[in-house]
Amino acid sequence: MASYNDRVEGVLLGTAAGDALGAPYEFAPPRGPELEVAMVGGGPWERGEWTDDTAMAIAIAGVAATGADLRDDSAQDAIVRRWLEWSRTAKDVGIQTGSVLRSASRGGNITAADARRASEALHRQTGRTAGNGSLMRTAPVALAYLDDEDALVEAARSISELTHYDDDAGDACMLWCCTIRHAVLTGELDARVGLTHIAAYRRELWVKRLADAESAAPASFPNNGWVVTAMQAAWSAIATTPIPADDPQAGVFRADHLRLALDAAVRAGYDTDTVAAIAGGLLGAAYGASAIPGEWRQVLHGWPGYTAHDLAALASAIERGGKPDLFDFSYAGSAVDTCAPHPYDDGVVLGGVGVLRDLPSDVDAVVSLCRIRDEDMRRDMPHVEVRLIDRVDRDENPHLDFVLLDAVRVIEQLRREGRTVLVHCVAAYSRTPTVGALYGARLRGVGVDDAVRDVTAVLPGAYPNPAFREALRRVGCLAVP
Ligand SMILES: [Mg+2]
């Protein structure tokens, strides 16, 4: 169940991560291996800022999170209103989407019927309405119909048609949504699961398009402003990037496939943010939010003032169909106030969730290892959430070794920036000493058993669970780069 929730939360985060990674490189030709790809920002984009792809997806997600059926007129009216509102201050709006929104809106108002009419009129007039702009935002639609594939097929086409009337756009959105849905439900990557929903006379065309994507590099689809080549480039990046085998000693993990495939998607060139956003929605669905590097999650942000925390919460709300989150965030008990400096580094504070709620004045960065309610998220300093469940069952932490190392890398980066970092879970019993020990072992170059002993000595009641201890022994002997 935990890994399913992780995959749900990965859909919007993956979209945003690909989008923000690709944003600095838009319109440039393919990037060779000698050139860096990093989430650095550029042009109008801040580091970690997502663009129109994620913004438009968030507009859909916000409506889906109310539990509305996205096939209903009222839901689609709300979506196009949100798009219009966003477009008024957006740093970029796709050409086709901008054209439809402009001609469909009258006196500041817009309805789905207006948008659909404008979309169809543009198609009749130009015959060219298969831009990639509906595919780039389609991922949240899949989350709204995890329990109903037929409804998903209808909804994906219908939302696409609001701005992109062409059959290719509708087919691509439907195929990608079915693929994302399948990935969330099973963890598998299979772009063919939706083919049965394509009209027979067009199915062979898509079978060939997918096969072509799997047999050529992402840069072989350069005209990727077209929805078909955008999807081919995204699928090529995923399908032709080898999935690493877990090798904790080398610091290489299966979960790295998400990062490597997004890197490959950006290297396709041209509409880099969109190709990577498309790929990211699916990769996040297959590998989960926990496979998205903390370095990226820390800086992700964008319209309408959201961060990684908000995207995960939004995805989870869609999955619940608008029902409230019943998780108990009260975290009562005196142990939540446990607080001690790390025995090897007093720039790292180890503690319980009570320390987050009454933050020491010298702390200026937070790494949370337990679930955090919205009002406890710090917006005034780096605050990274790490998906770590304090259970021994393997399914609860699908990428345990990767996540432990990733969390420590985030702490190391924050320390290099000179920040004082609070690392906390609920009561500092298991997760905090585990991550604290790995951080300490790498810092001092000591064995993890010694680091566990020294860290648990300063935290009352601390006893890392056996699965975490085993994971520490697997990743603990990695030297700090
Ligand atoms: Mg964009």
Side-chain angles (χ1 to χ4, degrees):
M1 191 61 190
S3 56
Y4 165 77
N5 291 334
D6 190 27
R7 294 196 295 272
V8 166
E9 292 180 10
V11 173
L12 292 177
L13 276 171
T15 302
D19 188 356
L21 185 69
Y25 310 105
E26 198 181 2
F27 308 126
R31 284 181 85 72
E34 73 285 2
L35 297 170
E36 188 188 49
V37 166
M39 200 176 281
V40 291
W45 308 110
E46 295 166 12
R47 181 169 72 121
E49 187 178 12
W50 57 71
T51 77
D52 56 341
D53 312 55
T54 308
M56 293 191 80
I58 287 171
I60 298 171
V63 175
T66 65
D69 187 332
L70 299 179
R71 295 170 295 177
D72 289 350
D73 289 344
S74 59
Q76 296 192 359
D77 286 346
I79 290 169
V80 295
R81 273 200 304 272
R82 199 101 202 275
W83 284 342
L84 185 64
E85 177 196 316
W86 155 79
S87 71
R88 292 198 177 104
T89 57
K91 292 182 184 177
D92 71 333
V93 180
I95 296 167
Q96 195 179 325
T97 295
S99 166
V100 168
L101 291 177
R102 262 190 314 279
S103 58
S105 62
R106 291 166 302 185
N109 294 317
I110 189 169
T111 65
D114 295 334
R116 208 175 287 282
R117 264 192 300 276
S119 166
E120 183 177 352
L122 186 68
H123 187 73
R124 303 259 175 258
Q125 188 189 327
T126 65
R128 294 169 64 86
T129 55
N132 61 24
S134 65
L135 179 60
M136 72 183 192
R137 66 182 189 225
T138 203
V141 181
L143 288 175
Y145 300 95
L146 291 171
D147 58 349
D148 188 344
E149 183 167 330
D150 291 333
L152 173 59
V153 169
E154 280 180 38
R157 288 189 184 282
S158 182
I159 302 284
S160 176
E161 282 165 7
L162 291 171
T163 50
H164 291 62
Y165 194 76
D166 197 290
D167 279 344
D168 273 334
D171 284 351
C173 288
M174 182 279 291
L175 283 174
W176 208 246
C177 277
C178 287
T179 305
I180 289 173
R181 174 178 177 273
H182 182 75
V184 170
L185 296 178
T186 66
E188 294 167 8
L189 289 162
D190 181 353
R192 290 177 173 76
V193 290
L195 282 173
T196 51
H197 302 290
I198 301 248
Y201 75 100
R202 295 176 55 80
R203 198 175 303 144
E204 280 312 306
L205 184 62
W206 279 101
V207 167
K208 179 168 187 325
R209 285 166 170 175
L210 289 170
D212 288 348
E214 287 162 2
S215 58
S220 312
F221 307 95
N223 176 27
N224 57 32
W226 182 34
V227 68
V228 172
T229 35
M231 185 169 136
Q232 285 178 305
W235 181 238
S236 165
I238 295 170
T240 67
T241 299
I243 301 175
D246 279 321
D247 183 357
Q249 297 289 303
V252 174
F253 305 96
R254 183 176 166 273
D256 288 316
H257 188 231
L258 180 144
R259 177 178 54 80
L260 296 169
L262 287 183
D263 182 275
V266 172
R267 290 183 190 280
Y270 309 108
D271 205 349
T272 48
D273 57 320
T274 292
V275 171
I278 294 165
L282 176 55
L283 288 160
Y287 291 101
S290 64
I292 298 169
E295 180 194 350
W296 293 353
R297 284 182 285 111
Q298 182 192 326
V299 296
L300 280 178
H301 70 283
W303 185 89
Y306 283 3
T307 63
H309 173 84
D310 303 307
L311 294 186
L314 193 53
S316 165
I318 299 172
E319 192 275 337
R320 290 195 307 274
K323 297 190 189 72
D325 184 357
L326 298 176
F327 188 81
D328 179 10
F329 288 98
S330 59
Y331 295 139
S334 59
V336 299
D337 295 322
T338 292
C339 183
H342 193 290
Y344 304 164
D345 178 4
D346 58 13
V348 172
V349 179
L350 304 174
V353 70
V355 186
L356 170 65
R357 291 172 178 172
D358 186 14
L359 205 62
S361 60
D362 58 330
V363 168
D364 56 3
V366 178
V367 174
S368 292
L369 308 176
C370 61
R371 288 192 63 188
I372 295 299
R373 60 184 178 184
D374 297 346
E375 53 268 44
D376 285 331
M377 285 304 295
R378 300 292 302 214
R379 307 275 168 173
D380 55 342
M381 60 182 69
H383 188 168
V384 184
E385 290 174 286
V386 174
R387 212 168 195 297
L388 199 52
I389 315 286
D390 184 15
R391 303 262 179 77
V392 293
D393 177 357
R394 199 174 176 80
D395 182 59
E396 300 289 339
N397 294 293
H399 311 297
L400 179 57
D401 298 2
F402 170 88
V403 167
L404 291 177
L405 192 59
D406 189 57
V408 168
R409 284 177 176 150
V410 167
I411 299 167
E412 289 167 351
Q413 176 60 37
L414 292 166
R415 290 294 294 135
R416 278 197 293 276
E417 293 167 11
R419 293 183 181 272
T420 299
V421 187
L422 170 66
V423 179
H424 80 91
C425 56
V426 176
Y429 286 149
S430 188
R431 288 172 281 198
T432 299
T434 299
V435 170
L438 184 58
Y439 172 74
R442 284 162 59 89
L443 182 69
R444 280 273 177 93
V446 300
V448 286
D449 291 335
D450 290 346
V452 167
R453 181 198 62 217
D454 294 342
V455 167
T456 54
V458 302
L459 299 170
Y463 191 84
N465 85 45
F468 289 180
R469 284 172 188 262
E470 283 169 31
L472 282 179
R473 293 193 186 107
R474 288 191 296 267
V475 297
C477 17
L478 273 177
V480 182

